[in-house]
Amino acid sequence: MHLLSVNTGPPRRVDYTDAPSGTTGIGKHPVHTPVRVTAPGAPGVGASGVGDDAVCDLRYHGGDDRAMYAFAREDLDAWERDLGCTLPHGAFGENLTTAGIDLREVLVGERWRIGGEVVLEATGGRIPCRTFAGWVAEQGWAPAKGWLRRFTLSGSPGVMFRVLTPGTLRAGDEVRVLHRPAHPVTVASLFRAVTTERKRLPEVLVAAEWMEREQREIAEKYTAKYGTAT
């Protein structure tokens, strides 16, 4: 299990985002030098945990519980076959392109050590947004219409992380699992609960203390309204 690349992107003005700034940092490319990662700060204030990486809409992105995003090369390869195109590392806006790891099976709260310093903790999967659909269409990979549903139904959302121990990352760094919490909630099962299987939302609250803010709030509101029966 290792990193194929660490990816960053500058802010760029586009017409398909609803960010107040009118810009997005979703266009990311591999960095060929070591990259510093840190906890960026509170939601709505902190941006990316990856040095020189742009997060342009702090309402929905960035902050400590969404400090960086990983997507598997194996999933990019599957999308290449499905879409009939070439998807480079960073194509889906991920900061970390991984190899040898089934990200769907990562537990919410699972901790990774990457390289010799950095420790990350999984907080949930990526909820696809309008900007993602616009980016995919701009690249000519697929039409924006229907993309969000298509990505959601794939069931492989990648993983959002918080930074527990800062340090430096680089392509080729080994990924080691340090800890897996004693609950069954994977990133994929949480993603399905907040998107296509809402009746499962009460079940995922066993992992609430590790979850990123939006998905935890969705689960808590649903459970408060409908109770725990599934």
Side-chain angles (χ1 to χ4, degrees), residues 11-28:
R12 187 170 66 92
R13 187 166 295 279
V14 298
D15 61 5
Y16 49 77
T17 183
D18 59 2
S21 65
T23 60
T24 178
I26 196 171
K28 301 192 190 303

Side-chain angles (χ1 to χ4, degrees), residues 170-225:
R170 56 181 60 78
D173 277 349
E174 180 185 7
V175 176
R176 290 170 287 167
V177 177
L178 293 182
H179 171 72
R180 284 171 64 85
H183 65 70
V185 182
T186 64
V187 166
S189 64
L190 173 59
F191 179 70
R192 291 194 302 271
V194 299
T195 55
T196 61
E197 300 178 13
R198 287 293 179 105
K199 290 183 178 181
R200 300 297 183 187
L201 283 169
E203 299 174 9
V204 304
L205 283 175
V206 68
E209 66 179 282
W210 298 284
M211 288 161 58
E212 64 91 19
R213 58 195 182 272
E214 181 181 7
Q215 293 170 65
R216 183 179 66 246
E217 183 177 339
I218 290 169
E220 289 172 340
K221 286 184 175 180
Y222 181 97
T223 303
K225 183 174 183 179

Side-chain angles (χ1 to χ4, degrees), residues 5-8 29-35 171:
S5 66
V6 181
N7 315 302
T8 65
H29 303 280
V31 177
H32 301 294
T33 56
V35 179

Side-chain angles (χ1 to χ4, degrees), residues 95-227:
N95 299 112
L96 308 177
T97 308
T98 64
I101 312 167
D102 186 348
L103 297 184
R104 295 168 298 182
E105 296 304 312
V106 171
L107 292 174
V108 177
E110 182 171 309
R111 293 181 181 180
W112 291 1
R113 182 181 297 280
I114 305 181
E117 302 175 298
V118 175
V119 178
L120 306 181
E121 184 175 80
T123 64
R126 179 229 210 107
I127 304 299
C129 63
R130 172 186 171 186
T131 300
F132 185 28
W135 164 254
V136 168
E138 180 187 64
Q139 305 310 302
W141 298 329
K145 185 177 181 180
W147 173 252
L148 302 186
R149 176 174 173 79
R150 190 172 181 180
F151 182 83
T152 297
L153 292 178
S154 76
S156 296
V159 182
M160 305 296 295
F161 287 99
R162 61 172 56 92
V163 179
L164 298 183
T165 303
T168 300
L169 296 181
R170 56 181 60 78
D173 277 349
E174 180 185 7
V175 176
R176 290 170 287 167
V177 177
L178 293 182
H179 171 72
R180 284 171 64 85
H183 65 70
V185 182
T186 64
V187 166
S189 64
L190 173 59
F191 179 70
R192 291 194 302 271
V194 299
T195 55
T196 61
E197 300 178 13
R198 287 293 179 105
K199 290 183 178 181
R200 300 297 183 187
L201 283 169
E203 299 174 9
V204 304
L205 283 175
V206 68
E209 66 179 282
W210 298 284
M211 288 161 58
E212 64 91 19
R213 58 195 182 272
E214 181 181 7
Q215 293 170 65
R216 183 179 66 246
E217 183 177 339
I218 290 169
E220 289 172 340
K221 286 184 175 180
Y222 181 97
T223 303
K225 183 174 183 179
Y226 297 106

